[in-house]
Amino acid sequence: MGDERVKAEALQILGLFQVLPRLVVFDLDYTLWPFYCECRSKRDSPSLFRHARGIMYALKEKGVEMAIASRSPTPDIAKVFIDKLELQSMFVAQVSKMGVTSVLVENGVNLDMFKLGLSNFATSFAASSRKQDE
């Protein structure tokens, strides 16, 4: 499935939700790309999981900011790969304090995990809104 088809499907998924997060934070290793940075060289040509770019395009189109968080012991390699994949403009430089909904993805980000994360966020948002109303 190409980036544009994934983007279109991700936009349909986003349309199912009345409320969207202001920020989505992605891990890098085995979430956006199928490897650990520390097992690679800066000279390598990195690749993303097949749904990753389309999902990011859809989030960007809907005005949802994105950031990355990684515990990689080789952040220099991660930065080189982000630059090689031309992803640097997708991510905000600073992240403000917000509630976080996380989803453990076993085989990289895909449309099913994307939908699950949004469902979990919507449930948490509704619960916190009810608490504020009390």
Side-chain angles (χ1 to χ4, degrees), residues 30-105:
Y30 285 96
T31 299
L32 289 183
W33 50 53
F35 52 82
Y36 290 113
C37 286
E38 61 264 29
C39 297
R40 305 292 290 267
S41 158
K42 289 180 184 179
R43 294 182 304 277
D44 290 341
S45 297
S47 62
L48 295 171
F49 278 111
R50 64 188 183 106
H51 290 177
R53 192 178 300 270
I55 288 170
M56 289 188 286
Y57 286 155
L59 288 166
K60 188 170 183 96
E61 184 169 308
K62 286 293 191 177
V64 176
E65 291 184 330
M66 291 169 281
I68 51 174
S70 180
R71 297 184 328 162
S72 173
T74 54
D76 54 325
I77 294 174
K79 170 129 180 45
V80 167
F81 287 175
I82 288 166
D83 290 344
K84 283 184 175 186
L85 291 164
E86 299 178 348
L87 297 176
Q88 59 275 35
S89 66
M90 297 291 245
F91 304 113
V92 296
Q94 297 178 354
V95 180
S96 60
K97 184 179 180 182
M98 303 178 189
V100 175
T101 300
S102 61
V103 176
L104 174 63
V105 297

